[in-house]
Amino acid sequence: IAALNNFPGTNRRFEKITNNVYSDYGHHPKEIQSTLQMAKEIAEKQGFSGVSLIYQPHQNVRQVEVQDEYTPEIFKYADEIIWLPTYLSRENPDFEILSPEFLSRKISEKTTILDFSDNPKELLEKILSLKAKNRLILAMSAGSLDGWIRKNIKWFNKIAPKIWCNFYKIKSGKKPLKYQTDAKNLDFLNNLNF
């Protein structure tokens, strides 16, 4: 049983990337619902404070087909959703690109729209603030999100715990933790280029 409890998952199916962060290839509404249900069960058993989904839809052509399936029922196991723009590939030029706001319209009360292609630091900050809140973070994408997380994994594992805990607390107006991150590290973080 111990081996099963420590099993990291199969490649891109609820695969543990680092503490609190999992990646999943699922991008169809029914896959999303099933994976979120499993994430919620794991979060409850392992003492996480909730489940945060980072979702990058795949192909606008597919979004045209499934747009009405993004319902509260599909996302009921997520406490929060970070919705990214659709990863575009092999698109039909006759279709209008559906916006994240349109696709998430039925679940907007618990959805934040982010565009990490324009501002990757905003997504990195969000992920790290969720880690500080002890959330189980599930990244679901058949597009570029998984690669982006893997590329930035060093931040999740090494630098981020020290810098971002205080950065998050300072930005949110809370008292920093007992150790103080120096201004040089915060300045470095603010000037990151991805």
Side-chain angles (χ1 to χ4, degrees), residues 13 18 28 33 36 42 55 65 68-69 88 91 95 100 119 124 127 148 168 185:
R13 288 297 180 187
T18 187
H28 186 275
Q33 183 179 29
L36 281 170
I42 289 171
Y55 180 54
E65 295 171 6
D68 293 324
E69 295 179 45
L88 303 175
E91 300 299 343
F95 291 158
N119 188 357
L124 184 58
I127 291 170
W148 182 86
Y168 170 70
N185 284 338

Side-chain angles (χ1 to χ4, degrees), residues 178-191:
K178 65 180 180 178
Y179 58 86
Q180 186 66 41
T181 300
D182 62 39
K184 178 181 162 190
N185 284 338
L186 290 175
D187 186 54
F188 172 74
L189 192 60
N190 277 322
N191 292 309

Side-chain angles (χ1 to χ4, degrees), residues 4-194:
L4 287 176
N5 287 335
N6 292 321
F7 179 64
T10 57
N11 189 19
R12 298 296 324 279
R13 288 297 180 187
F14 207 78
E15 178 185 1
K16 184 175 183 179
I17 302 298
T18 187
N19 291 339
N20 295 54
V21 181
Y22 295 81
S23 180
D24 193 276
Y25 182 79
H27 50 275
H28 186 275
K30 289 296 181 186
E31 290 174 324
I32 294 167
Q33 183 179 29
S34 297
T35 306
L36 281 170
Q37 181 178 4
M38 180 175 63
K40 189 71 162 183
E41 291 170 7
I42 289 171
E44 289 171 357
K45 287 179 185 173
Q46 295 187 5
F48 288 103
S49 64
V51 175
S52 294
L53 170 66
I54 304 172
Y55 180 54
Q56 182 186 40
H58 187 247
Q59 295 183 321
N60 188 63
V61 103
R62 182 174 290 126
Q63 300 317 301
V64 169
E65 295 171 6
V66 301
Q67 62 182 295
D68 293 324
E69 295 179 45
Y70 291 130
T71 64
E73 181 67 19
I74 295 297
F75 295 96
K76 69 182 178 184
Y77 299 108
D79 297 294
E80 175 182 13
I81 303 159
I82 297 94
W83 199 289
L84 306 178
T86 301
Y87 180 78
L88 303 175
S89 67
R90 301 183 309 271
E91 300 299 343
N92 182 336
D94 296 332
F95 291 158
E96 174 187 353
I97 303 296
L98 300 179
S99 71
E101 292 80 6
F102 176 78
L103 291 170
S104 65
R105 68 194 181 281
K106 296 177 184 176
I107 52 166
S108 60
E109 70 282 347
K110 63 179 180 178
T111 302
T112 301
I113 308 294
L114 290 180
D115 186 350
F116 80 110
S117 62
D118 288 341
N119 188 357
K121 286 186 265 188
E122 187 176 13
L123 180 58
L124 184 58
E125 180 179 332
K126 183 66 173 174
I127 291 170
L128 293 170
S129 72
L130 293 170
K131 283 178 68 69
K133 294 176 186 176
N134 195 35
R135 288 291 183 96
L136 185 153
I137 303 159
L138 175 59
M140 296 193 80
S141 167
S144 59
L145 178 61
D146 178 75
W148 182 86
I149 288 174
R150 290 173 194 276
K151 176 183 170 192
N152 291 287
I153 199 75
K154 67 181 178 182
W155 285 102
F156 299 117
N157 290 328
K158 295 179 182 164
I159 300 167
K162 292 179 182 172
I163 296 176
W164 277 96
C165 275
N166 278 335
F167 188 72
Y168 170 70
K169 293 210 177 251
I170 290 167
K171 284 189 77 169
S172 64
K174 296 179 181 176
K175 183 179 176 185
L177 300 175
K178 65 180 180 178
Y179 58 86
Q180 186 66 41
T181 300
D182 62 39
K184 178 181 162 190
N185 284 338
L186 290 175
D187 186 54
F188 172 74
L189 192 60
N190 277 322
N191 292 309
L192 280 177
N193 288 314
F194 293 96

